[in-house]
Amino acid sequence: MSLEASNRQVKRLTDYTSPDFTILTTKLTFELDTHQTRVTALTRFKRLNPAATELVLDGQQLNLISLHCNGQRVTEQDFKVSDDKLRLQVAEDEFLLQIVTEISPQDNTALEGLYFANGSYCTQCEAEGFRRITYYLDRPDVLAVFTTTIIADAEQLPYLLANGNQIESFINSDGKRQVIWHDPFPKPSYLFALVAGDFDQLSDSFTTVSGKSVSLVFYVEKGNGHRASFALESLKRAMRWDEQRFGLEYDLDIYMVVAVDFFNMGAMENKGLNVFNSKYVLANDETATDTDYFNIESIIGHEYFHNWTGNRVTCRDWFQLSLKEGLTVFRDQEFSRDMGSPTVNRIQAVQVIRTAQFAEDASPMAHPIRPEKVMEMNNFYTVTVYDKGAEVIRMLHTMLGEDGFQAGMRLYFQRHDGQAVTCDDFVQAMQDATETDLSHFRCWYQQSGTPELSMTRAYDASTRQLRVTLQQQTAATADQAKKVPLLLPIRYQLLSKKRTQASSVFMMTQARQELLFDQADADDLPVLLEDFSAPVKLRHDYHQDELLRIAREASNGFARWDALQAYWQLQLRLYIAGPDSFTLPAALLDLLGEWLQQPSDDLALTAELLKVPDYASFSETFAQIPVDDILTAISSFKQQISAALYTKLLTCYQQHHTDASSYTEVNASKRALKNQCLQYLSWHHEASRALLEAQYHSAVGMTDRLAVLKCTQQSLHPLFEPLMQQFEQQWQHDVLVLDKWFSLKASLPTKAVLDTMETLVQHPRFSWQNPNRVRAVFHAFAMQNAGQFHRMDGAGYQLLTETLIKLDGINAQVAARLVTPLLSWRRYEPRRQSLIKHALQMLAEQPSISDDLYEKVSKALESG
Ligand code: B3K
Ligand code: ZN
């Protein structure tokens, strides 16, 4: 049945109406109990629409105990309760409702609303989880001042936390602890948070630019306090950076971060009380890789930056999600960039766009950064809304410059502080502050799909004019047939042997336009889309040797890397055309050899330049993905590099070895480079054995140890299994490290992995309730083991399908994320298509399939 034909509810952006009632104050009292938590909500409502007589509140899976209006009990004849609403006739313009409900946190395996896991209570309310706590106007444009009282067993749950400042804490006559929190900033319900548990605490303080002292407190699992210090330092760096770069200061007296093991995503920016997946807080050199450290700093920054872009100014409705997410991702990317290597940061962000986001555009789930139609909002926390959303903000930044952009931000806050607004309001502030006409630019908010930008060159030797013709076109997407030309800021430079010029930005507005270069030489090369100045697919007419020249000579580090990506794509096509006779060109091997002998100052960039693109990067450029060809090509490329450059790889490896374990930019980039070398070396099984063993056993930190495991896994080195056994022994009690082991097991590219998968779910430390664990196993299998997932016998698809059926009943949000690789079934050859389609049909036929999964599966089936 199609999405439209099912009687499931679909919401549309065009259906938005402003609320009939708003809420002035919300006083919540929680009497915590694992099975019967009693929630008393005392809420002061105000009528906004004089014609409205019925108050309609959202509520799900609630046991309603009692309802009072202005102190009077409301009897059952006077209100109606359905699966997801409570309706009540009200005469007064302002009134006080007291609603008592009971919920069971222990049974809440969806981890949305209030749940109990691993000994702690925790909430997750974005997007629509608050309605699982009490009946409420659970929409982001209703902002209220919250006061929260928590009552719980004092011994078991010594820490009772909620948003804002703690105003009272005492022990009741019955021996229970009662704590009261007050948040002076009006906020929508999605920013509400409550946490109760027993934790280690790590505290510090931060003095803001205006001299206010803010307490910073991290709460983490007992015994792990020392592992939160990097996150705490990152928070201080983020606070200082936001003051310096954006002029934004923190507003409450306290900023708390709680790390929990059971969490559906990375983290949540609840006002004054962030909740984090422990993976993005806990780190020390023994347990965390350089990538883990990087992610922690970036996510700590991201949630902190939400305090202004998200909390102080929030979204009018959920279709506007990119208002806060695109902007905040842009801000966290800028923060990371200012903290480390700008080029490598940019490369990594672009890889997310090119692989995951372009794939989403090409899938049945294609949507604009401001979606127009949604069944389950949780399905729209996507790479499109987040990462493409950040690219859209970045284009504004490129067009307006740092000063113009900051002027726009100031006007945005001046106009909208304390409000719930739209993406249009944001663009309007940018437009007004800079007096720039952004009407064409706004199309980025409503058009889905990836524009293709093609470039052709014509050089006229008699006039010495180089004419570059640019054409843009966006193919129809699953959600939208008609497309218009977009405004594309194209940063470019002419690579010339004779002169150096600064980069310029060309604003492309039409389907076809020309760039003219006078006084050009025949061998001048236009380098387009420096720093990936617009999220488009670039089709060029460069020859192989021209791409290598850009990779060698361009001044923009990103452009060098990008030219090499294009070069690799050409090699892949040549390989597919004749795999037996294919060898990598000597010119490429010479260039890689030069970089090994003389890496650039940015070692992390050199490491990136030395990489063969991965499966996801290669597959992005095919309408129909030749899975097996890509995988054999990648192995062949790596083996050839290993054979041709062995000595140079070994020397570079040895030169960049470091005994320092700490995470600093210098150490991390040395490790990136030498582990890149090690990856190639490991294809020579015998020659590299001693090296791999030595690095594994003498490794001072997790980065180096994990690198050995990854190398041996990819090159199918006989050391893989014995080292994995040792690793499991050593780390079986550390859940975060063990997740790495689970992932490596599930992404082993051999047939045996299917049996392994069975043993993994039987492993004593596996849990279907823990999203990190489920992702460690199944995300790794479905997304990082293409060869086995896409097996021709269909066993990979079947395994994922059975998993999804089971998981959907436990945690539909996690299930709906894991279904992603099945959605693009049209991009495989016929046999695989029919196997995947069959899997999707099985899912669709599940009688109790969740909205989360149903929305995606039905769209996928409709697409064929
Ligand atoms: N705003 C949260 C994401 C909520 C996801 C709800 N399914 C984290 C973030 O983007 O900062
Ligand atoms: Zn966010």
Side-chain angles (χ1 to χ4, degrees), residues 19-53:
D20 289 339
F21 296 85
T22 194
I23 298 175
L24 303 172
T25 55
T26 301
K27 292 186 177 162
L28 299 167
T29 302
F30 289 82
E31 294 163 74
L32 292 179
D33 181 272
T34 49
H35 286 94
Q36 280 185 311
T37 286
R38 183 166 279 238
V39 183
T40 305
L42 199 60
T43 311
R44 183 166 293 282
F45 287 86
K46 184 178 168 190
R47 188 191 312 274
L48 297 176
N49 172 6
T53 55

Side-chain angles (χ1 to χ4, degrees), residues 126 267-269 302-303 306 324-325 378 381 386 813:
E126 187 177 359
M268 177 65 211
E269 71 265 23
H302 181 97
E303 305 312 327
H306 266 316
K324 74 177 177 81
E325 295 305 346
N378 285 327
Y381 287 74
Y386 274 62
Q813 230 182 100

